[in-house]
Amino acid sequence: MIDERFGLSRHVTLPGPLRLDGGALLAPVEIAYETYGTLAPDGGNAVLVCHALTGDQHVASPHPRTGKPGWWSRLVGEGKPVDPARDFIVCANVLGSCMGSSGPSTINPATGHPFAMAFPVITIRDMVRAQAMLLDHLGVGVLRAVVGGSMGGMQALSWPATFPDRVRAAVVIASTARHTAQNIAFHEVGRQAVMADPKWRGGDYRDDPPAAGLSVARMAAHITYLSEAGLTEKFGRKLQARDAKGFGFDADFQVESYLRHQGLSFVDRFDANSYLYITRAMDYFDLAEEHGGLLANAFRATAARFCLVSFDTDWLYPTIESRHIVHALNAAGRAVSFVELSSPYGHDAFLLDAPEMNRVVDGFLKAVA
Ligand SMILES: CC(=O)SCCNC(=O)CCNC(=O)[C@H](O)C(C)(C)COP(=O)(O)OP(=O)(O)OC[C@H]1O[C@@H](n2cnc3c(N)ncnc32)[C@H](O)[C@@H]1OP(=O)(O)O
Ligand SMILES: N[C@@H](CCO)C(=O)O
């Protein structure tokens, strides 16, 4: 019996093999994860929380290195909508990432060196299959719910499509069922920034990463997580305190130094090759294409209930993408709740204080209890 009221970083090596969508077999499969709460004797209270592109398993406990609160501690924790007093909560670092699960920085048993670009290309569905292997290991059969935002929402959609009998409810926030040309275009700019950095060296950078390229990639991506109104409210055209030199190409505008800060701090916490692999997995995501070209087909085999939330200023995954999913769920005869929330903060609103989002998720999860 697993009995952890509070988050505890763990790591498991599963023998596998895991057959990936690209055809490769991954073995062993390393998974870093945290659990909170107690698995009920009937196993019926498990909730899987899925993280976004650069997230990790520390969803509700302080990050072990920075001490910052868990990235979704506003939604997950004692007295929150996902509550360890009621739920057995699992959050795992996704396949391809760099926080302890198998990815390009994992040591390749065949060479004794990091896989780097020899790591197989992965998909969102591969991430979900790895999570299913972890749940098997933890003795979890059917999930009470799977919950995720952004790329976490893609996993939450992929779960009932991939394992129709293993999930009773899915909460999909600020997400999409496919990457659009614009989404792919922004990711490609970031990947090219990484690959154009001479330090990238085809991925074999070891202890001297392509920091400049990764930082620029994050700066470009971060703009897509915000909104014009949010940036205007926070920075407008405000300048830094100028020195005697006046005009020039230092970070004169505050928004510039903010973006540079976001880029530099990202390099401290994320691996460049993982960035390539995970953005690629998101670009390949097209749930309709995986199901004969019709999104409704993805949901026909499941009896899961769905809750979708979008934000009106999210131009990365705008509300129209959520509506597209709602129409497909309706066509498949699935029960779905959908709400568009108002926020000035763009896509990343799901990570910020969002009382309305909490109320919606709380009400939905209580209804499917
Ligand atoms: C989704 C998952 O699964 S987890 C992964 C999610 N985490 C991330 O994406 C981390 C990076 N993203 C962010 O910080 C996102 O904006 C959010 C939504 C998570 C946080 O938003 P906010 O709390 O509004 O933080 P904000 O965007 O204002 O950034 C604050 C930082 O910018 C710095 N900053 C603010 N203004 C400036 C400026 N003019 N010049 C330089 N730095 C500045 C602050 O000092 C602060 O630095 P710190 O994070 O090192 O303490
Ligand atoms: N800002 C979040 C969401 C991006 O989709 C992240 O970096 O993971």
Side-chain angles (χ1 to χ4, degrees):
M1 176 70 66
I2 293 153
D3 189 359
E4 298 291 344
R5 294 305 296 270
F6 301 99
L8 180 68
S9 285
R10 299 178 190 184
H11 178 272
V12 65
T13 303
L14 301 169
L18 174 61
R19 181 173 291 282
L20 302 170
D21 274 334
L25 292 177
L26 186 65
V29 181
E30 314 268 348
I31 303 185
Y33 66 99
E34 290 198 352
T35 66
Y36 312 76
T38 306
L39 186 60
D42 68 357
N45 66 336
V47 175
L48 178 69
V49 181
C50 303
H51 69 73
L53 167 56
T54 71
D56 54 42
Q57 61 274 31
H58 313 296
V59 56
S61 62
H63 192 281
R65 186 172 58 83
T66 64
K68 285 187 178 176
W71 55 267
W72 231 358
S73 48
R74 290 181 172 101
L75 190 83
V76 181
E78 300 278 353
K80 308 283 171 60
V82 184
D83 189 341
R86 176 193 61 202
D87 304 315
F88 176 62
I89 304 157
V90 181
C91 183
N93 185 218
V94 295
L95 204 62
S97 188
C98 51
M99 313 291 179
S101 293
S102 290
S105 53
T106 303
I107 299 298
N108 181 349
T111 64
H113 297 296
F115 276 99
M117 299 308 283
F119 193 74
V121 170
I122 46 152
T123 64
I124 298 293
R125 188 162 52 181
D126 293 331
M127 296 174 187
V128 163
R129 291 190 182 113
Q131 289 161 349
M133 288 171 69
L134 172 66
L135 295 182
D136 291 342
H137 168 78
L138 295 173
V140 174
V142 177
L143 287 167
R144 184 168 102 79
V146 56
V147 183
S150 192
M151 188 184 83
M154 297 178 196
Q155 295 157 65
L157 278 175
S158 188
W159 251 96
T162 309
F163 298 104
D165 301 324
R166 279 193 83 167
V167 53
R168 283 158 44 208
V171 180
V172 179
I173 302 175
S175 195
T176 181
R178 49 111 200 244
H179 247 209
T180 62
Q182 180 174 260
N183 296 144
I184 297 166
F186 273 108
H187 273 175
E188 177 61 359
V189 169
R191 285 189 293 264
Q192 288 302 316
V194 170
M195 291 172 162
D197 186 328
K199 288 190 169 181
W200 182 60
R201 300 177 210 279
D204 288 323
Y205 45 79
R206 308 280 170 89
D207 295 329
D208 190 14
L214 184 60
S215 177
V216 171
R218 182 61 172 184
M219 288 170 72
H222 194 69
I223 299 167
T224 72
Y225 307 149
L226 309 174
S227 71
E228 187 184 8
L231 278 176
T232 301
E233 180 193 299
K234 213 170 209 170
F235 304 110
R237 293 183 48 82
K238 279 184 273 187
L239 296 166
Q240 312 283 16
R242 276 189 183 165
D243 62 19
K245 283 187 292 190
F247 298 112
F249 291 94
D250 287 341
D252 206 5
F253 292 93
Q254 288 187 15
V255 68
E256 293 176 303
S257 67
Y258 168 74
L259 278 183
R260 289 185 192 191
H261 176 79
Q262 292 293 338
L264 289 174
S265 49
F266 184 60
V267 167
D268 285 342
R269 72 179 177 91
F270 214 77
D271 173 61
N273 286 338
S274 278
Y275 192 76
L276 303 181
Y277 276 84
I278 299 179
T279 55
R280 207 73 188 125
M282 294 170 81
D283 289 350
Y284 280 132
F285 186 60
D286 182 347
L287 201 52
E289 194 228 32
E290 286 174 13
H291 293 83
L294 195 60
L295 188 55
N297 288 345
F299 308 120
R300 288 197 204 283
T302 185
R305 297 171 64 174
F306 290 77
C307 172
L308 273 84
V309 178
S310 70
F311 291 94
D312 59 355
T313 50
D314 183 349
W315 56 278
L316 184 68
Y317 304 139
T319 292
I320 187 74
E321 297 297 336
S322 290
R323 286 197 198 285
H324 183 56
I325 299 166
V326 170
H327 290 149
L329 286 164
N330 285 334
R334 299 282 76 84
V336 53
S337 316
F338 166 59
V339 61
E340 179 192 60
L341 299 178
S342 189
S343 163
Y345 300 118
H347 175 69
D348 265 355
F350 77 99
L351 294 168
L352 295 167
D353 195 27
E356 281 296 320
M357 178 184 83
N358 277 26
R359 263 195 289 280
V360 169
V361 176
D362 193 42
F364 177 76
L365 288 180
K366 283 190 173 131
V368 296

